[in-house]
Amino acid sequence: MFKATSKGIINMKLFTLSLSSVIFLILILPAAFAQNVAEGEIYSLSVAPDEPVVFEEITVSVGVRNPSDKTISYKLEVVVTKEGEIVYSNPFTFTLQPGTGTFVSPILSPQDIGEFQIIAKLSDQFDIEVKDIEVKEINVVSEIGPFDIAIDAPS
């Protein structure tokens, strides 16, 4: 015959609690995170030309795809920042069939030289659930160098 002790009951409760926690972490938690990834992704973020020049047009290309098995409406926001301040922001909305993709390619003209960040944020059509974010850093240069300026000085 076995005799139950309070120590054995506590150990059994801890074992049951640990087992249920492990099952939750293995089965439930990954499924919750996988849902966001499986419903939309940014697979490409590029800028042309490779070395942007101030006051000249650049094309930002963002490739988006719907890897899920259902039709989904998205909002893609392309934001350009310099030193933490937004200098350009434009939202694009579109719907993708299952397994299809598209490119969004806004044309910009930088008005200043220096480091910029291009941020592409993909979310559901109501901008509630973020599906993916990509960031690209660019350096806008000037074609006028420090020795390209001629100043006529009186003699």
Side-chain angles (χ1 to χ4, degrees), residues 62-119:
V62 184
V64 178
R65 73 173 137 231
N66 175 4
S68 77
D69 59 356
K70 58 186 173 182
T71 301
I72 301 177
S73 295
Y74 297 101
K75 178 180 178 185
L76 175 70
E77 189 166 7
V78 178
V79 177
V80 179
T81 65
K82 181 173 187 205
E83 297 174 358
E85 292 191 29
I86 296 174
V87 295
Y88 172 87
S89 179
N90 197 359
F92 301 89
T93 56
F94 50 91
T95 300
L96 292 176
Q97 300 297 318
T100 63
T102 190
F103 272 95
V104 174
S105 300
I107 297 174
L108 314 171
S109 181
Q111 302 298 304
D112 197 4
I113 60 171
E115 298 287 326
F116 290 82
Q117 297 75 38
I118 298 174
I119 304 161

Side-chain angles (χ1 to χ4, degrees), residues 6-76:
S6 62
K7 185 177 180 183
I9 293 171
I10 292 173
N11 285 340
M12 184 56 83
K13 285 183 181 179
L14 287 174
F15 175 76
T16 305
L17 181 62
S18 296
L19 184 61
S20 62
S21 297
V22 168
I23 291 171
F24 175 79
L25 290 173
I26 292 172
L27 299 176
I28 307 300
L29 203 55
F33 287 109
Q35 182 180 1
N36 288 348
V37 174
E39 289 188 352
E41 66 180 334
I42 298 169
Y43 66 89
S44 173
L45 174 58
S46 63
V47 176
D50 290 333
E51 190 172 278
V53 177
V54 68
F55 304 122
E56 293 184 12
E57 289 184 347
I58 63 171
T59 302
V60 177
S61 293
V62 184
V64 178
R65 73 173 137 231
N66 175 4
S68 77
D69 59 356
K70 58 186 173 182
T71 301
I72 301 177
S73 295
Y74 297 101
K75 178 180 178 185
L76 175 70

